[in-house]
Amino acid sequence: MSDQELQFMKSRMEQLLIERGIHLDHDEMLSELAQLGCVVDMEKKDVRFTKELIDKAVAAVPEKFTLYSPSGKYDLEFPNPTGSFYTRTNTGAPNYRTVKGETHYTTLEEVDEWYKITNVMENLDYVTLPSTSGEYVPGDAVDVYTLEKALKHSAKHIWIQPYESDNVQWLIDMAAAAVGGLKNLQEKPIVSFISCGVPSLTFKHMDAEVLYRCAKSRIPVQPCSLPTAGANTPVTAQGTAFVACAEVFAQIVMLELMCPGLPVIATTLLFNMDMQSTYTLQSNTEITIARLICMELFERGYNIRAHSYGTGTDSVVMDEQNFIERTNLIDAMAMSEASVLGGAGQLETAKTISPLQLIIDNEIFGIARRIRRGLDVNDETLDWDELIAGLDKDPSFSFLTSEHTFRHFTEPHRPDMFNRDSPVNWELEGSKTLLDKALEKFNAIMASEDVYELPADKAAEVEKVLKEAHKALVK
């Protein structure tokens, strides 16, 4: 966006929240927002904001914060000190595509498998909860059972998506148990939560409960919008970006009013409906541009960290369309101002996760990070001295033996699983494709020891909360 368009978007978004507002199905939160100065209609459950409250909330968003990891080895400082972005795995997909190509609902054993892989992927920074099926664990407590696995086995920060209103506090309690209590969790949050708005500018009780309980417990939130252009938001990518940003911004305002200084990451995960098939798509070209608009609005417009999809596809298999779409998406998003790019391991418009795709996305994220880092331009990188002196003194001068080459030849990025050799050597090494190499890496990871396990005393406390949650939640 131009500066004029950016200011126009901010102005219209704030105007929408002041004049039209949102619908919020949560009586406790409505009462508290009314006490804080919001214009609240308790009967209709509508909330409107004032310009003063919006400005107050934006001023309260912390410019710097850290999301911590269970192992202590993968803590995430925001803004990223390197100027790069952080990455995460996909969330919400109910299906698991095994390395044999079989697709079924996700099991708890596959959740273990998933975290064993993510722990050793150097370009994956934090993880989500795979959507374990209610066929394998009690449906009323799917998220609680899956979080227990994450807390026991993930070395990296955990992003939690609750599935029931009653489960939110249990999820917080379980995370607290893993670190020795709520105070420790507040000081070093190893988890953050997702909350969403569906339908447009409406927050159902479960997502309002996430906002309310996290604000009360001082747990970071990555407030999210999941709009579909042409279905529940305007058909134009611009209109969908606008509504998504407004939904996320409203959540940030409410969180900062209830809990000033709470770490937040604006998360706009945009989709659009194909009007010929009526199928929901993730990788439409215009919706990718809309994601760039969202990142710019929050990062440049408000200095609030922002998060969107960095990889994904509408293809149902790991074919050519899959790789074209996900690399096109990550290349565009790598050059945006996003602080987090997500979706690693997903296929079929985020409905399926694949361990092989996860391993390949680790390589794709590495390339994207190299793109974001850019190139320094100075006399050393231009090789100015040799260009001035060397060529004139020796017409047969070769850069292959240059001192400058010796200083810099290791710098070009070399993805671990990509072929960088001749066809002859490729054939001698077995003519392996990218998928072959991904399968090899998968098997090597599965054969190795886990790199992280929650200490036994903390694991016992987590199990205790799980048993209590089961009694309270499972009907």
Side-chain angles (χ1 to χ4, degrees):
M1 293 183 287
S2 67
D3 289 343
Q4 183 178 0
E5 288 172 325
L6 177 58
Q7 293 306 316
F8 172 78
M9 179 81 89
K10 289 178 61 178
S11 175
R12 279 288 193 241
M13 186 172 69
E14 293 182 14
Q15 182 182 356
L16 182 69
L17 297 185
I18 292 168
E19 296 182 5
R20 193 263 192 201
I22 62 165
H23 182 76
L24 182 72
D25 184 16
H26 197 288
D27 290 341
E28 286 179 282
M29 192 167 164
L30 286 168
S31 296
E32 183 155 340
L33 291 172
Q35 293 173 13
L36 290 166
C38 297
V39 181
V40 176
D41 186 323
M42 293 295 295
E43 185 177 341
K44 293 182 178 179
K45 300 184 184 298
D46 290 337
V47 181
R48 289 185 290 117
F49 307 92
T50 66
K51 174 62 174 171
E52 291 73 22
L53 287 175
I54 290 173
D55 291 343
K56 179 181 179 181
V58 170
V61 176
E63 290 188 12
K64 296 181 179 181
F65 59 89
T66 301
L67 298 182
Y68 291 86
S69 59
S71 66
K73 296 179 180 179
Y74 304 100
D75 297 344
L76 311 174
E77 293 181 51
F78 289 85
N80 190 322
T82 69
S84 187
F85 49 83
Y86 293 116
T87 64
R88 67 158 176 91
T89 55
N90 187 63
T91 188
N95 303 317
Y96 199 86
R97 179 79 48 83
T98 71
V99 296
K100 295 180 179 179
E102 301 166 351
T103 302
H104 51 239
Y105 292 139
T106 306
T107 68
L108 277 178
E109 291 74 22
E110 286 159 345
V111 172
D112 285 341
E113 178 178 282
W114 192 252
Y115 290 133
K116 191 170 184 179
I117 298 169
T118 57
N119 282 341
V120 296
M121 295 290 101
E122 71 278 10
N123 291 311
L124 284 172
D125 299 307
Y126 68 94
V127 299
T128 58
L129 300 185
S131 295
T132 312
S133 173
E135 289 189 359
Y136 307 111
V137 296
D140 296 321
V142 164
D143 44 5
V144 182
Y145 272 85
T146 309
L147 178 59
E148 187 227 10
K149 289 288 189 181
L151 291 170
K152 284 184 174 180
H153 298 295
S154 177
K156 301 179 180 181
H157 182 83
I158 302 162
W159 191 35
I160 300 173
Q161 181 175 9
Y163 289 151
E164 301 285 349
S165 296
D166 293 342
N167 299 15
V168 176
Q169 189 60 52
W170 287 110
L171 294 165
I172 294 173
D173 292 346
M174 184 177 282
V179 295
L182 181 60
K183 184 178 179 181
N184 292 339
L185 184 63
Q186 291 169 337
E187 291 176 355
K188 291 188 174 182
I190 63 166
V191 301
S192 54
F193 277 70
I194 180 175
S195 56
C196 300
V198 178
S200 292
L201 300 168
T202 297
F203 300 94
K204 58 186 180 295
H205 188 270
M206 185 191 77
D207 292 295
E209 180 75 354
V210 173
L211 296 170
Y212 188 70
R213 296 299 165 195
C214 285
K216 294 290 122 180
S217 301
R218 293 198 63 83
I219 304 300
V221 182
Q222 301 186 47
C224 177
S225 177
L226 290 161
T228 300
N232 57 7
T233 51
V235 71
T236 57
Q238 301 93 313
T240 292
F242 175 72
V243 173
C245 289
E247 288 180 348
V248 169
F249 192 58
Q251 294 175 76
I252 291 173
V253 170
M254 291 187 289
L255 285 167
E256 296 301 332
L257 291 176
M258 292 187 293
C259 184
L262 185 71
V264 293
I265 302 174
T267 304
T268 48
L269 305 179
L270 279 55
F271 299 85
N272 82 300
M273 178 184 287
D274 181 85
M275 290 300 170
Q276 291 189 29
S277 66
T278 70
Y279 193 75
T280 298
L281 302 176
Q282 182 197 45
S283 298
N284 166 276
T285 304
E286 286 76 17
I287 218 69
T288 294
I289 300 172
R291 293 190 189 104
L292 300 176
I293 289 175
C294 296
M295 297 302 94
E296 188 174 30
L297 184 137
F298 284 108
E299 293 275 0
R300 187 157 67 92
Y302 289 101
N303 194 27
I304 294 174
R305 306 291 71 82
H307 168 182
S308 192
Y309 281 125
T311 183
T313 181
D314 298 315
S315 176
V316 299
V317 294
M318 295 173 69
D319 61 358
E320 294 83 356
Q321 177 186 334
N322 165 47
F323 287 108
I324 290 170
E325 287 182 335
R326 67 195 321 116
T327 52
N328 174 69
L329 174 57
I330 190 63
D331 285 348
M333 297 304 293
M335 298 305 290
S336 76
E337 299 173 71
S339 290
V340 177
L341 296 180
Q346 60 149 295
L347 299 166
E348 196 188 352
T349 320
K351 298 182 185 69
T352 298
I353 55 174
S354 157
L356 293 184
Q357 188 63 65
L358 178 69
I359 291 168
I360 293 171
D361 279 344
N362 180 65
E363 298 279 35
I364 293 173
F365 278 146
I367 297 169
R369 279 185 161 145
R370 183 62 194 89
I371 292 172
R372 169 74 77 91
R373 195 161 73 242
L375 295 171
D376 295 327
V377 178
N378 52 50
D379 281 347
E380 170 62 17
T381 60
L382 296 179
D383 196 14
W384 176 254
D385 292 340
E386 284 189 334
L387 287 172
I388 286 291
L391 297 178
D392 287 342
K393 292 180 180 178
D394 181 4
S396 63
F397 176 81
S398 170
F399 287 98
L400 188 60
T401 57
S402 157
E403 288 297 326
H404 181 267
T405 299
F406 293 155
R407 291 196 297 274
H408 294 279
F409 78 95
T410 61
E411 293 177 7
H413 182 69
R414 298 186 90 250
D416 182 53
M417 296 192 301
F418 284 20
N419 179 57
R420 290 289 188 265
D421 210 337
S422 68
V424 172
N425 287 337
W426 175 71
E427 290 174 1
L428 287 173
E429 292 179 2
S431 306
K432 296 173 185 175
T433 66
L434 180 60
L435 290 177
D436 293 332
K437 293 180 180 180
L439 180 58
E440 275 189 356
K441 180 168 281 193
F442 170 85
N443 289 331
I445 294 169
M446 291 301 107
S448 65
E449 293 293 325
D450 282 340
V451 299
Y452 175 79
E453 187 173 351
L454 186 68
D457 58 334
K458 299 291 194 304
E461 291 301 311
V462 169
E463 289 174 7
K464 182 179 177 181
V465 176
L466 176 63
K467 290 177 182 177
E468 293 171 355
H470 181 99
K471 291 178 183 178
L473 300 173
V474 178
K475 301 176 180 59

